[in-house]
Amino acid sequence: MQKSTQVLFKTQFEEDVYKGLSDFPKHLSSKYFYDQKGDKLFQDIMHMPEYYLTRKEYDILKQHTTEIAEKFAMGNPKFKLIELGAGDGKKTKILLKYLSENNFDVKYQPIDISQSVLDGLEKSLHKELPDLQVEPQHGTYFEALEKINLENGTKKVILFLGSNIGNLLHEHAIAFLKNVQELMQEDDLLFIGFDMKKNPQTILDAYNDPSGITEAFNKNVLARINTELDGNFDLDKFLHWEVYDPETGTAKSYLVAKEAQTVSIDKLGLLIDFAPWETIHTEISQKYDDKVVAWLADNAGLKIETEFSDPEKEYKNFVFKKC
Ligand code: AVJ
């Protein structure tokens, strides 16, 4: 009879690390980049000259504030503005400022899995926009959305900014959009930021900065395994590698073992062997074109209402409605 070992996982992180590093080829999820150190590194990324995404979306919101606000309020100026993964709200504050200074009847409901992120955001909003109604929702997107939905029938405008959707393979993006779509009513709107296909070099540079911030961000998942799961990864024995396929629009991040090595992860009772140049796939950052956005919407039961973009059309914010 075969001997079987039952492994009990205390957290999703433990389970995902165990499974991802036992798999071939190896992989880890980019959602584990974000602890306190990872949040800080991502803040630094957003300030890098090569990382154009944040700036482009900021400029779109800045250039088109009035039109966007009018679109959101169309037919019914009383609405809840719900943000999935709010972060520091720097971009959203442009809209919030306009809405609150122009007597729109808005309640802002940022959703985030980090309570400290929500606390910081709430505090800064009370200071900067004291008249704005803010009601943070702690939890995963769908738990929080479902809770918001039970409240009452006020129109919802749901924001999903930063091309965060790009971390999802198309199949998962469709599942995600369907989930949101099911929680939408006829008048509700969904506002999503998409990073569009562009010169492949521009994209590669955004994920391959010479300052090494993206490298540290990518390796932060290994650092977390070391501190949280008693691992002994030597971060210097891995290199950060980025590829971009201009046909599929998929940018992929890897950590590549520079030499053969064995890593132990004591909390999981795991020893992981790496062959020289073996990879761990850690992230996808999908780039889109109009056809793919239309196809995603179609598959999720959504229709495109309108879009806003930068003059070069390198980044787009689409407004969707339920079909
Ligand atoms: C936060 C998912 C939009 O994929 O561009 C930045 C994360 N990864 N640099 C992205 C990230 C490497 C970012 N998103």
Side-chain angles (χ1 to χ4, degrees):
M1 210 175 90
Q2 228 193 321
K3 206 174 134 192
S4 78
T5 8
Q6 177 90 26
V7 188
L8 289 173
F9 301 109
K10 280 193 225 67
T11 60
Q12 192 64 47
F13 182 49
E14 288 189 2
E15 179 169 353
D16 289 348
V17 169
Y18 190 99
K19 291 185 173 160
L21 293 181
S22 306
D23 209 355
F24 184 82
K26 295 176 168 56
H27 54 89
L28 291 166
S29 167
S30 60
K31 71 180 174 208
Y32 297 119
F33 291 164
Y34 303 88
D35 61 354
Q36 218 175 11
K37 201 165 89 202
D39 288 345
K40 168 76 175 69
L41 285 165
F42 185 59
Q43 290 285 332
D44 295 343
I45 286 175
M46 290 192 288
H47 289 107
M48 300 186 325
E50 298 87 358
Y51 196 74
Y52 58 85
L53 288 80
T54 314
R55 253 182 335 272
K56 290 227 176 242
E57 190 170 54
Y58 185 90
D59 291 346
I60 292 168
L61 300 184
K62 193 96 201 157
Q63 289 301 315
H64 302 280
T65 316
T66 316
E67 289 161 86
I68 294 170
E70 294 301 333
K71 190 84 219 170
F72 287 0
M74 204 180 55
N76 186 354
K78 180 181 162 92
F79 58 92
K80 295 186 273 199
L81 195 62
I82 299 161
E83 181 160 16
L84 309 179
D88 68 357
K90 183 162 179 241
K91 290 173 287 191
T92 317
K93 280 177 183 170
I94 306 166
L95 292 174
L96 293 173
K97 186 167 187 301
Y98 182 87
L99 293 167
S100 102
E101 284 171 359
N102 290 276
N103 298 313
F104 287 81
D105 189 358
V106 198
K107 179 157 86 179
Y108 178 51
Q109 297 190 293
I111 298 175
D112 211 287
I113 33 164
S114 161
Q115 184 66 51
S116 73
V117 157
L118 289 176
D119 293 344
L121 182 56
E122 193 177 19
K123 212 171 127 196
S124 74
L125 282 169
H126 278 315
K127 211 169 98 188
E128 293 164 42
L129 301 169
D131 294 335
L132 180 75
Q133 269 197 78
V134 185
E135 204 176 281
Q137 293 285 340
H138 182 233
T140 66
Y141 298 158
F142 297 112
E143 284 163 11
L145 257 183
E146 267 168 20
K147 214 166 113 196
I148 288 169
N149 238 16
L150 292 174
E151 285 172 3
N152 58 42
T154 310
K155 179 171 83 172
K156 301 190 291 296
V157 178
I158 303 165
L159 308 181
F160 192 44
L161 302 181
S163 204
N164 282 333
I165 194 168
N167 273 166
L168 304 176
L169 293 166
H170 288 321
E171 143 197 17
H172 297 144
I174 290 169
F176 169 83
L177 293 172
K178 271 189 187 159
N179 264 321
V180 177
Q181 191 261 16
E182 279 163 16
L183 294 169
M184 286 170 73
Q185 310 286 319
E186 202 186 308
D187 288 341
D188 293 349
L189 297 173
L190 176 60
F191 185 73
I192 305 183
F194 291 86
D195 192 21
M196 306 302 280
K197 285 183 175 176
K198 58 180 65 58
N199 187 326
Q201 193 62 56
T202 309
I203 292 168
L204 264 186
D205 291 347
Y207 296 93
N208 217 1
D209 59 292
S211 57
I213 299 169
T214 307
E215 176 186 352
F217 183 61
N218 195 5
K219 287 183 179 178
N220 196 45
V221 64
L222 303 185
R224 278 191 72 180
I225 293 172
N226 284 350
T227 49
E228 292 174 36
L229 306 179
D230 295 333
N232 72 345
F233 275 102
D234 180 347
L235 272 50
D236 294 331
K237 288 190 179 165
F238 288 84
L239 52 88
H240 165 71
W241 195 258
E242 190 72 24
V243 295
Y244 175 65
D245 178 345
E247 181 178 63
T248 60
T250 310
K252 293 174 93 178
S253 303
Y254 295 92
L255 292 163
V256 186
K258 295 191 218 173
E259 56 185 76
Q261 55 198 287
T262 300
V263 174
S264 68
I265 304 177
D266 289 349
K267 271 210 178 150
L268 301 177
L270 251 190
L271 285 177
I272 315 272
D273 289 323
F274 285 89
W277 308 115
E278 188 173 348
T279 52
I280 309 173
H281 170 49
T282 52
E283 186 176 41
I284 80 157
S285 298
Q286 183 65 38
K287 309 305 164 196
Y288 301 86
D289 54 37
D290 289 340
K291 274 193 184 146
V292 169
V293 173
W295 172 79
L296 290 173
D298 201 46
N299 275 279
L302 294 164
K303 58 181 181 219
I304 297 170
E305 268 286 299
T306 188
E307 66 184 60
F308 300 92
S309 78
D310 62 318
E312 295 83 30
K313 301 210 172 2
E314 293 192 341
Y315 193 100
K316 290 189 179 180
N317 289 83
F318 283 85
V319 180
F320 301 97
K321 265 187 135 174
K322 205 179 169 97
C323 277

